[in-house]
Amino acid sequence: MLIVDAVVETVATALATLVDHNSRPSTDERSVADTGEQLRRLLQQEKLIAPGGLRLRETDIDVTVSPGCCCGLEDWRDWLGLLEGDVPLLGHDPSPAIEVAEPVVRLWPDGGNEEGAASGLCLVIPVGDVARILHTVHDELQGFLSLAGQWAACRVPSLATDLVTRPGEDLAIGTLLPGGSDPRLL
């Protein structure tokens, strides 16, 4: 039961974060009375934006590269560009730095600014592993949508389908990555 409660709490927290981040001042001055109304307003937004982005952690050297501000989960597919040598935007404050130097990608937690090259401990990822990592991200995001659908089916059944479909579209979760579901084909 504890695991189920933790999953429910995590899904509810993620949806609350989406609601909060996508709330815009409205001409509708009425207070939001319930969860259903908050979620309906969320689904009325032009495009959903999810704060944050991909966070990578290497436990062997205790280095974590977190996305900076202005980096959203909706841009997670930009990491595919690494396969072609393109660098995705990682945000700022912190200012993660990234360098593609075949056959690896190097990522620093902070230091990606105009004043000089990043230094210190960094993550080193073989370019060939990027596809596998992104397939894992895609699987996790699809799993979240499935859980969100189950959560919504119990709490706001009239919105359950839209609460899976809309984030799936706006966060580019519903579309397969190149190579289908097999990262070896990428």
Side-chain angles (χ1 to χ4, degrees), residues 36-56:
E37 180 61 24
Q38 288 177 328
L39 294 171
R40 274 188 276 294
R41 287 185 183 184
L42 171 70
L43 293 169
Q44 292 171 355
Q45 298 303 317
E46 185 175 323
K47 180 172 170 87
L48 300 182
I49 297 171
L54 301 186
R55 184 180 79 152
L56 292 103

Side-chain angles (χ1 to χ4, degrees), residues 41-122:
R41 287 185 183 184
L42 171 70
L43 293 169
Q44 292 171 355
Q45 298 303 317
E46 185 175 323
K47 180 172 170 87
L48 300 182
I49 297 171
L54 301 186
R55 184 180 79 152
L56 292 103
R57 178 164 172 74
E58 173 58 63
T59 57
D60 291 342
I61 59 172
D62 193 30
V63 172
T64 301
V65 177
S66 297
C69 68
C70 303
C71 185
L73 193 55
E74 66 278 1
D75 298 323
W76 72 274
R77 284 179 175 264
D78 291 354
W79 286 74
L80 283 168
L82 289 171
L83 301 173
E84 304 297 324
D86 296 330
V87 175
L89 173 67
L90 301 179
H92 59 279
D93 195 23
S95 299
I98 189 166
E99 172 189 66
V100 180
E102 285 287 339
V104 298
V105 174
R106 289 185 181 87
L107 295 117
W108 289 268
D110 200 4
N113 55 43
E114 300 86 31
E115 297 169 10
S119 62
L121 288 176
C122 67

